[in-house]
Amino acid sequence: MDPRITRTRASLQEALLGLCRETEFSSVSVSDITDAAGINRSTFYQHYADKEELLADALDGFAEQAAAQIEASQLNEPNADPREMIGKFLEHVRENAALYRMILGPAGSPMIVAQLRGRIIALAQSGLAKAPRESKAIPVNVAAASIAGSFISIVREWLNMKPLPSAERATEWAWSALSGAPIEN
C-alpha cells in the first residue's frame, strides 16, 4: 500500500480514537475527525464511507498489530507466554473503555465484533495447531471459536465492572478462564 495512504489512514484512526477518549462516539462528527487529523473532508471520504467504517478499520488495525506481535513472539520464542500480548491488547481496550463498551454492548457493532472474533479465532487456531492433540479432542476450529467467544465475553464483563479493574487483572482472569484454572469465589 502507498505510504501516503497508510499515513492518512493512521492519522484518521488516531484522531478518532483520541476524540473517543474525550467524548462519546455518537457525538463525534466527520468534521471533528478531519480537523483533529489535519485533513479535509474529501480526503476522509476517499478512504472511508463513514465514521463507523473508520472505527472498524482502526480497531481491526490494532487487533491485527497485536496478532502480528503474538505470531512473531511465537516464532522467535516458541514457548513464549502469550499473556504479555493479551495484556497489551487489554491495556488498549482499557484506554478506550467507553468505545469498547459501546461496541461490545447490546447496541454495538456486529461488524467490528465479527472482525475482532475473526482475529482471535485465527490466533487461537495458530496456537492450538502447535499443541499436542488427543484423538478425541474437539476440532481446532471449534476450539478456536470457543476461545474467541469466551475472550470477547470476558472483555465485555470486565468493561462493565465498576470501578474498572486493571488490564493486568483482566489478563489474569482471561488466561485463567481460557486455560481452565480454578475460579475464585
Side-chain angles (χ1 to χ4, degrees), residues 1 31 44 47 53 57 60 95 121 123 139 148-149 158 166-167 176-177 182:
M1 183 180 292
S31 293
F44 176 92
H47 296 274
E53 184 181 345
D57 195 34
D60 187 54
E95 289 170 2
I121 287 172
L123 281 171
W158 166 58
S166 69
S176 294

Side-chain angles (χ1 to χ4, degrees), residues 78-121:
N79 296 324
D81 187 348
R83 284 182 278 198
E84 182 180 340
M85 292 302 145
I86 292 170
K88 285 182 183 181
F89 176 74
L90 291 179
E91 188 58 44
H92 159 77
V93 171
R94 193 176 201 288
E95 289 170 2
N96 298 283
L99 191 57
Y100 276 94
R101 273 187 205 103
M102 185 262 312
I103 291 163
L104 296 173
S109 171
M111 177 180 70
I112 296 173
V113 174
Q115 286 178 323
L116 179 60
R117 185 175 177 278
R119 292 272 179 212
I120 297 168
I121 287 172

Side-chain angles (χ1 to χ4, degrees), residues 70-71 74 82 120-133 140 144 147:
I70 290 171
E71 292 284 332
Q74 292 292 326
I120 297 168
I121 287 172
L123 281 171
Q125 284 179 325
S126 173
L128 291 170
K130 297 172 190 169
R133 310 267 306 150
V140 170
I147 289 169

Side-chain angles (χ1 to χ4, degrees), residues 14 24 83 99 121 136 145 157 160 162:
E14 289 170 21
E24 289 186 27
R83 284 182 278 198
L99 191 57
I121 287 172
K136 294 183 180 182
E157 291 304 313
N160 288 324
K162 291 189 179 20

Side-chain angles (χ1 to χ4, degrees), residues 22-44:
E22 300 167 8
T23 188
E24 289 186 27
F25 176 74
S26 61
S27 300
V28 175
S29 69
V30 171
S31 293
D32 295 333
I33 298 165
T34 58
D35 289 348
I39 64 166
N40 62 46
R41 286 177 65 90
S42 65
T43 301
F44 176 92

Side-chain angles (χ1 to χ4, degrees), residues 50-66:
D50 53 33
K51 67 181 187 174
E52 286 78 11
E53 184 181 345
L54 168 60
L55 177 60
D57 195 34
L59 297 180
D60 187 54
F62 192 86
E64 181 180 22
Q65 287 175 354

